[in-house]
């Protein structure tokens, strides 16, 4: 991903320089326009001006010393006594700088210690507070960004694993259909192979995308349903109506097929008047996908490990992809197993 200009080193340095220049220019920008000319050109005034630049430069150094060295070295490692000792050393150094300046460069006069200490303390405390807040907020934002990227990477890895489970299972089931048609020497084998070729093309070249047009996913489902209809013939009544808009909506590839596979797995076999009902429609940017199948309460076989990725994994995949943007209802009632998926489309 392209990095924002404001994260480049030159931009960061420029912003810091601008902030310091603005901050230390305020006393000069806001001072009264009038001033005693004699005082303005006095030796003491010139000496104080020079000292101010030196002192402010020392404060800038203190800001980055605390932010870049003291905070990571002492505070984050809970070495508080060493941190306090280091700060005290800096404060003494700053005060000593001011005291030495007054002793050497100013005219002989009585040095008032209390104002000097208060001035040094408050300016140092302001710089210390700003420095600590700056570094801690910066580190927290960095940690949150890294954690977010890690979570996103883990989700992408998990989604890739889930998606990788879909294609092999689907192909296994479709190839079983082809074997059944071949054994029957059915004339439907050739059109079935053509449909299978179309499905494979979709699976190989379309499903690597993050999302595909909903109409293509709908065509994919319909081809699968047609293949199953050819396989079961009149033994299973299949009702399907897939009304996907031609344009405007996209969906994660192969997101819906596990529900259909599950219906054919558990809705066929030793079931009287077997029936599967599949409906898809879009209303006001919401996808409504319903799959119903009759089922037999009598346990018939042990679950085949190659039968599909399972509805639990499909639900997990939906939670990862759409979070609060979907609603999935699965229930059994009156001999029917029903799945209703509502998905907000963007």
């Amino acid at each position: 991903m392209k990095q924002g200009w404001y994260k480049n080193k030159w931009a960061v340095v420029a912003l810091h320089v601008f902030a310091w220049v603005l901050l230390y220019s305020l006393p000069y920008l806001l001072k009264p326009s009038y001033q005693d000319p004699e005082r303005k050109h006095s030796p003491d005034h010139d000496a104080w001006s020079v000292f101010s630049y030196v002192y402010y430069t020392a404060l800038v150094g203190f800001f980055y010393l605390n932010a870049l060295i003291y905070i990571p070295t002492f505070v984050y490692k809970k070495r508080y006594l060493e941190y306090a000792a280091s700060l005290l050393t800096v404060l003494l150094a700053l005060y000593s700088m001011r005291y030495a300046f007054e002793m050497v460069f100013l005219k002989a006069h009585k040095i008032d210690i209390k104002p000097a200490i208060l001035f040094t303390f408050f300016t140092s405390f302001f710089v210390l507070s700003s420095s600590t807040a700056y570094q801690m907020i910066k580190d927290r934002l960095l940690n949150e960004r890294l954690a977010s990227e890690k979570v996103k990477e883990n989700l992408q890895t998990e989604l890739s694993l889930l998606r990788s489970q879909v294609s092999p299972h689907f192909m296994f089931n479709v190839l079983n259909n082809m074997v059944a048609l071949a054994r029957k020497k059915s004339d439907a084998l050739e059109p079935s192979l053509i449909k299978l070729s179309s499905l494979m093309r979709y699976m190989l070249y379309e499903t690597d995308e993050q999302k595909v047009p909903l109409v293509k996913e709908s065509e994919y489902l319909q081809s699968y349903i047609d293949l199953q209809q050819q396989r079961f013939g009149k033994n299973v009544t299949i009702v399907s109506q897939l009304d996907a808009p031609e344009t405007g909506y996209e969906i994660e590839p192969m997101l819906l097929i596990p529900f259909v596979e599950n219906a054919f797995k558990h809705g066929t076999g030793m079931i009287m008047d077997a029936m599967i009902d599949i409906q898809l429609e879009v209303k006001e940017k919401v996808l409504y996908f319903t799959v119903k199948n009759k089922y037999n309460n009598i346990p018939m076989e042990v679950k085949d490990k190659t039968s599909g990725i399972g509805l639990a994994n499909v639900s997990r995949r939906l939670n990862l992809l759409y979070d609060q943007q979907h609603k999935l209802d699965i229930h059994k009632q009156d001999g029917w197993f029903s799945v209703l998926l509502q998905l907000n489309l963007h």
Side-chain angles (χ1 to χ4, degrees), residues 95-304:
Y95 176 74
S96 299
M97 181 189 301
R98 180 188 174 95
Y99 182 81
F101 163 77
E102 293 191 13
M103 291 292 294
V104 175
F105 294 100
L106 298 186
K107 293 180 180 179
H109 68 285
K110 182 180 179 180
I111 300 177
D112 195 345
I113 297 178
K114 185 176 180 180
I117 292 178
L118 289 176
F119 174 80
T120 304
F121 173 77
F122 283 113
T123 55
S124 302
F125 181 77
F126 171 75
V127 172
L128 174 65
S129 302
S130 303
S131 174
T132 302
Y134 162 79
Q135 188 62 29
M136 288 189 168
I137 292 174
K138 175 185 174 183
D139 290 340
R140 180 172 181 179
L141 293 175
L142 176 61
N143 291 333
E144 289 179 353
R145 180 173 64 82
L146 293 176
S148 177
E149 290 178 355
K150 184 176 180 181
V151 170
K152 183 178 180 180
E153 182 179 352
N154 290 338
L155 293 182
Q156 290 296 331
T157 301
E158 185 170 354
L159 286 173
S160 297
L161 290 174
L162 287 174
R163 287 177 62 178
S164 68
Q165 296 178 56
V166 177
S167 299
H169 297 310
F170 174 74
M171 289 302 302
F172 180 84
N173 291 335
V174 171
L175 289 175
N176 276 345
N177 295 350
M178 299 297 102
V179 171
L181 291 174
R183 287 175 178 173
K184 294 178 181 179
K185 297 181 180 181
S186 172
D187 293 335
L189 180 59
E190 182 177 349
S192 297
L193 288 173
I194 294 175
K195 284 185 178 291
L196 177 59
S197 175
S198 176
L199 294 179
M200 291 182 65
R201 186 180 302 109
Y202 176 82
M203 292 166 57
L204 291 174
Y205 299 108
E206 304 279 353
T207 58
D208 285 339
E209 302 295 330
Q210 290 296 321
K211 289 189 176 183
V212 296
L214 178 61
V215 65
K216 286 191 175 182
E217 185 75 4
S218 176
E219 292 172 355
Y220 173 76
L221 290 177
Q222 190 61 60
S223 296
Y224 177 81
I225 294 170
D226 293 342
L227 288 173
Q228 294 287 23
Q229 181 70 79
Q230 292 174 357
R231 174 189 175 189
F232 291 105
K234 297 181 180 180
N235 295 327
V236 179
T237 300
I238 302 175
V239 178
S240 65
Q241 185 172 355
L242 308 180
D243 297 327
E246 290 293 330
T247 58
Y249 299 109
E250 293 184 330
I251 192 173
E252 177 80 6
M254 302 189 73
L255 183 67
L256 306 177
I257 188 63
F259 298 113
V260 180
E261 283 190 298
N262 184 77
F264 279 101
K265 173 179 171 55
H266 299 286
T268 58
M270 302 298 293
I271 299 176
M272 185 175 296
D273 299 326
M275 183 175 180
I276 297 174
D277 187 353
I278 303 169
Q279 304 290 327
L280 184 152
E281 62 178 342
V282 177
K283 293 181 179 178
E284 298 180 353
K285 297 183 179 181
V286 179
L287 169 68
Y288 296 90
F289 184 63
T290 305
V291 180
K292 299 180 181 179
N293 63 272
K294 289 186 177 181
Y295 71 95
N296 195 332
N297 285 318
I298 302 175
M300 296 178 58
E301 79 261 304
V302 178
K303 182 174 172 123
D304 185 353

Side-chain angles (χ1 to χ4, degrees), residues 305-319:
K305 292 183 179 180
T306 62
S307 62
I309 69 173
L311 296 186
N313 281 342
V314 180
S315 178
R316 173 62 176 161
R317 187 181 177 200
L318 284 166
N319 289 332

